Amino acid sequence: MKYTFDIVGVSQVLQFFNHQQQNLHKPQRQGVEYIATHTCTLDALLESVEPVPQKWNWDKDEVIGTVINFWMQNSDSIRYWKARLIDAGRDNLLVARIADIKALKKELEYLLGGNL
């Protein structure tokens, strides 16, 4: 299985919590998970993603490798999101998405209302 990881934005803590709660009541999107952390560091992201492989029965080493590869190859993006998180203040979170690539493709097809 192949995975993808990306930082998607900065959110207020309550807004992210509400989003996660609303998703509990919707049909589960198999294989797409949104995580959040108060700091933009590799260690914080790895800690946030740690429970995800067990939940979806994913290969933990591949998931961690995907996050590390993102971190190593996207220094400009990381600097940008780190600055946005600092600008937003301490009541905000960095939000990221980890997904099985096939599940993410299905989600995007659903959102776009057709086939990609």
Side-chain angles (χ1 to χ4, degrees):
M1 206 177 299
K2 296 223 180 228
Y3 306 100
T4 180
F5 177 85
D6 200 12
I7 297 172
V8 296
V10 173
S11 173
Q12 294 177 342
V13 173
L14 237 63
Q15 186 176 9
F16 182 75
F17 177 77
N18 286 336
H19 177 266
Q20 295 294 80
Q21 290 299 310
Q22 289 172 359
N23 281 344
L24 289 175
H25 302 293
K26 293 180 182 176
Q28 195 73 0
R29 291 174 304 199
Q30 190 78 15
V32 179
E33 192 75 32
Y34 291 89
I35 60 166
T37 179
H38 284 284
T39 58
C40 185
T41 64
L42 178 57
D43 288 342
L45 289 169
L46 289 173
E47 186 176 321
S48 293
V49 82
E50 191 171 311
V52 175
Q54 185 176 359
K55 177 180 178 181
W56 296 112
N57 198 26
W58 288 349
D59 183 307
K60 184 177 181 177
D61 291 337
E62 281 190 47
V63 170
I64 289 172
T66 300
V67 175
I68 292 170
N69 286 340
F70 174 86
W71 190 266
M72 300 298 288
Q73 296 174 5
N74 294 283
S75 59
D76 290 340
S77 177
I78 292 163
R79 276 193 297 276
Y80 173 82
W81 287 115
K82 186 177 239 179
R84 298 299 67 77
L85 183 60
I86 291 168
D87 291 344
R90 59 183 269 192
D91 292 332
N92 291 277
L93 299 167
L94 182 72
V95 179
R97 178 187 58 225
I98 183 83
D100 165 3
I101 290 178
K102 290 178 184 177
L104 184 58
K105 182 180 179 207
K106 286 180 185 177
E107 181 176 297
L108 292 174
E109 287 173 351
Y110 173 77
L111 291 172
L112 296 174
N115 294 323
L116 290 179

